[in-house]
Every structure is written in C-alpha cells, then in structure tokens.
Amino acid sequence: MGMLIKTLAAVAAGTVLAASALAQSAREIRGPSPYVAIENEPAPKLIVDPPIPDQLARGIVQIQYRVENVHIVPVFGKGALNASPRVGHLHIHVDDLPWWWADASNLNTIDLAGMPPGPHTIRIVLVDANHEPFPGQSKTVTFTIPQKVSGAHAH
C-alpha cells in the first residue's frame, strides 16, 4: 500500500511539473500589453481560414481569421497611425462588387447569409486606421453555395 501511495504521489508531482513547463504566459498567447509602446513592431499579419464547410451547406458563410502584431479596434483616422501597439481593422470585399465594409469588431469570424447559390469570392484586407492596406496582408477566399441549402437560412 505504501508503494502505491508513493507511486501515485510521484505521478501527481510529475503531472504538475509537466503542466507548468508547458504553460505559456499571457504575453505569449495574447501578445504585448496595449499599455506599453512597442519599439520596432514586427509587420502585421492576417491569417484566414477557409469557410466552415457544414455552414456552407446551410447557406451561411463563416470565415474565421486572426491577426498578429496589430489590434483590431474601431479607431480611425490619421492620428491613430502612430498608436503603439499598432491598430487597424478589416475591409471585406464580396464578389468584386464596387462596395466593401469595414469590420473593426475583432470577433474573429466574418459571417454572411443569404448569398445566392453558386461560386463566390471574399477578399479580406488588413488595413491601418487610415484605411490603407498593410503590405501583403490581403487574403482571398473562394467557395460555392450549394444549389439546395438546408436549415434555417435556406431560400
């Protein structure tokens, strides 16, 4: 019985040590504090996933994204260009239409419904507070809405 307790204690201690060795700091996960200016900020980066497939079958387009080295916030204008940490937002273009919308919500998912069946393209552009694109930070996502959609958003 004593050997069993020692073995269990050793396993528990090893588990605690392994968990703390794998723990990441808040800065590693969330990035730098917004209260401290960052010298020589790395370039912003936009990462975009393909649409969630099972939602397309329902006629809903949900595209998840994340950014690095920029905070998505509803702050606009020339005065915000010198903010540190850097701020920006997204411009969302649909099917090469002449209009677009600005998304400063940072909800990490672009959500569209009611698009007609067929092929579509969405271009997502990471821009600064003055609506100027960050170099190389535009992603294009193509997808097809099926002819027959199921669920609540079927038309």
Side-chain angles (χ1 to χ4, degrees):
M1 182 71 154
M3 185 61 151
L4 176 62
I5 291 173
K6 287 181 184 178
T7 302
L8 289 174
V11 168
T15 301
V16 169
L17 289 173
S20 30
L22 295 175
Q24 292 180 304
S25 72
R27 182 181 175 93
E28 289 172 319
I29 299 296
R30 300 279 316 235
S33 170
Y35 297 110
V36 179
I38 301 170
E39 298 295 325
N40 303 315
E41 287 185 87
K45 186 174 181 182
L46 173 64
I47 298 97
V48 176
D49 290 347
I52 300 171
D54 59 331
Q55 295 295 69
L56 286 177
R58 296 180 57 216
I60 301 170
V61 182
Q62 291 177 328
I63 302 169
Q64 289 188 275
Y65 68 88
R66 69 181 180 88
V67 296
E68 294 177 357
N69 307 317
V70 62
H71 290 268
I72 301 293
V73 292
V75 176
F76 304 96
K78 187 176 177 183
L81 294 177
N82 295 321
S84 179
R86 178 186 295 116
V87 298
H89 58 279
L90 302 176
H91 285 178
I92 314 296
H93 303 259
V94 178
D95 289 339
D96 296 320
L97 293 169
W99 53 266
W100 50 265
W101 79 87
D103 182 354
S105 68
N106 199 27
L107 293 176
N108 101 331
T109 303
I110 297 161
D111 187 16
L112 296 163
M115 295 185 76
H120 296 281
T121 301
I122 294 183
R123 186 167 50 99
I124 304 159
V125 184
L126 181 60
V127 300
D128 65 22
N130 212 30
H131 304 282
E132 294 297 323
F134 288 110
Q137 297 311 304
S138 175
K139 308 294 182 192
T140 300
V141 178
T142 58
F143 57 91
T144 300
I145 299 290
Q147 289 298 320
K148 292 182 180 182
V149 295
S150 60
H153 292 283
H155 295 280

